[in-house]
Amino acid sequence: MVVVGSGYRMHTSNKESFQRYYVGASNFIVGPHYFKNLVYNGTTGIFSSTSGPLATFQTKDRAWLLSIKGLYEPIDTLNMSMGIEVRRLTVKASFDVPALNDPAVVSAASGSSKFQRFLQDIPQSTPWHETHILLQASLNWQPWERITLGADLTHYQIRRSGYIPSPKRPTQYNSAEQLDGYIFWQAFKHLTLYGHGRASTRYLLGDLPLAYNSRSNHRFGNPYGFLSAGGVVSF
C-alpha cells in the first residue's frame, strides 16, 4: 500500500524581553554618557539599557510538506513502512534592540569591540528558506494482545538559502538522525498507557526550525534525547 500526504504546519515562539546581555569583561568601563541609553559595565561584562528592555526576541517558522510512504504488513501483528517527506520552510527571527534605532548610538559605539560582539549575536532580520528532506522507516509489532511496540528511524537532510551565519559561529549543522521508541499497553478497555523515548544526534535540528538561528546554531552540535509517559482515554 502507498500513502501520499500533504500539509502545512507552523511554530511561533512567545515574545521574550531581557534587560541585560553578557559579552565579556574588560579593563575599562563605558558609561551611559558614551552609549546614551546603553550601559556597558567592564567589571561584569554586561550590556544593559536605561530605558526599557535591552532587546525583544521572537521567532517563527512555517512549512508546506509533501510525503509518500509505502506500507507492508507481512502478518496481522506486524507492519512496516518506509517513506520520504519534503518540507519547504520560511524561518524568521525578530530581534529588536530599541537603542539601535538611534543612529547616534550606533555611530558612537561603532569603535567598541564589545559593542561589535553584541551586534554579532543578533540574528539576521530578514527571513531565510530551508528545504528539509526526511527519510523515514517505521515498525509496529504487537507481540501480545494488549502490548504494542513501535520504532521510528528518521534521517534529516537540510539545505538553507538566504541564511547569514554569524562570524562567531560559522559552523553549520545540516543533517541529523533521530530514533523514537514506543510501548503501548491497553490497561483497560478504554485506557491505554504509553511510554516514549527519543534519541537524536543533533539538538532539535529539523524538529523545531524556529530554534535554529545565527545566535543559537552552536547548540545544535549536541546530541539530544528525552523520555515521556502518558495515557489515552477513549470512549
Side-chain angles (χ1 to χ4, degrees):
M1 178 187 298
V2 176
V3 178
V4 177
S6 63
Y8 175 84
R9 75 172 196 173
M10 65 181 296
H11 302 101
T12 302
S13 71
N14 294 328
K15 185 175 289 188
E16 303 289 346
S17 297
F18 53 90
Q19 306 292 331
R20 304 187 302 169
Y21 192 83
Y22 178 80
V23 295
S26 180
N27 58 1
F28 64 91
I29 296 178
V30 179
H33 61 281
Y34 187 86
F35 285 138
K36 293 189 177 180
N37 59 339
L38 282 181
V39 181
Y40 173 67
N41 187 313
T43 303
T44 63
I46 290 175
F47 267 112
S48 60
S49 173
T50 60
S51 58
L54 175 64
T56 302
F57 182 66
Q58 186 176 36
T59 57
K60 58 184 178 181
D61 67 63
R62 60 181 186 271
W64 291 99
L65 54 93
L66 178 66
S67 65
I68 182 169
K69 181 182 295 186
L71 305 177
Y72 176 57
E73 188 174 309
I75 55 178
D76 291 342
T77 58
L78 176 66
N79 65 75
M80 296 174 285
S81 68
M82 295 189 66
I84 182 171
E85 182 174 313
V86 179
R87 300 173 181 172
R88 180 61 175 172
L89 296 96
T90 300
V91 187
K92 183 173 183 180
S94 172
F95 195 100
D96 180 40
V97 184
L100 297 183
N101 296 328
D102 185 346
V105 173
V106 179
S107 176
S110 60
S112 167
S113 61
K114 296 299 181 182
F115 188 76
Q116 293 304 313
R117 182 176 178 180
F118 171 66
L119 293 180
Q120 289 177 0
D121 274 338
I122 298 176
Q124 69 187 76
S125 58
T126 56
W128 65 92
H129 300 285
E130 299 184 358
T131 300
H132 295 196
I133 298 177
L134 287 67
L135 302 177
Q136 301 169 314
S138 301
L139 181 147
N140 287 283
W141 178 41
Q142 188 177 8
W144 298 282
E145 182 179 358
R146 293 179 177 269
I147 300 291
T148 301
L149 306 177
D152 299 325
L153 178 63
T154 305
H155 171 76
Y156 287 87
Q157 193 66 44
I158 299 173
R159 184 175 62 183
R160 300 180 184 90
S161 60
Y163 176 79
I164 304 172
S166 168
K168 292 173 59 177
R169 304 178 182 88
T171 303
Q172 296 298 297
Y173 298 101
N174 302 312
S175 63
E177 282 70 44
Q178 180 175 290
L179 177 63
D180 290 271
Y182 307 87
I183 180 169
F184 297 92
W185 173 43
Q186 187 179 7
F188 302 99
K189 181 178 180 180
H190 299 293
L191 176 63
T192 299
L193 304 178
Y194 69 86
H196 174 209
R198 171 174 294 178
S200 177
T201 57
R202 296 285 181 238
Y203 174 71
L204 294 180
L205 187 68
D207 195 43
L208 196 60
L210 61 76
Y212 190 100
N213 56 65
S214 57
R215 171 66 185 89
S216 62
N217 68 301
H218 64 291
R219 301 183 184 278
F220 288 77
N222 301 318
Y224 170 73
F226 67 80
L227 296 172
S228 64
V232 178
V233 178
S234 59
F235 298 97

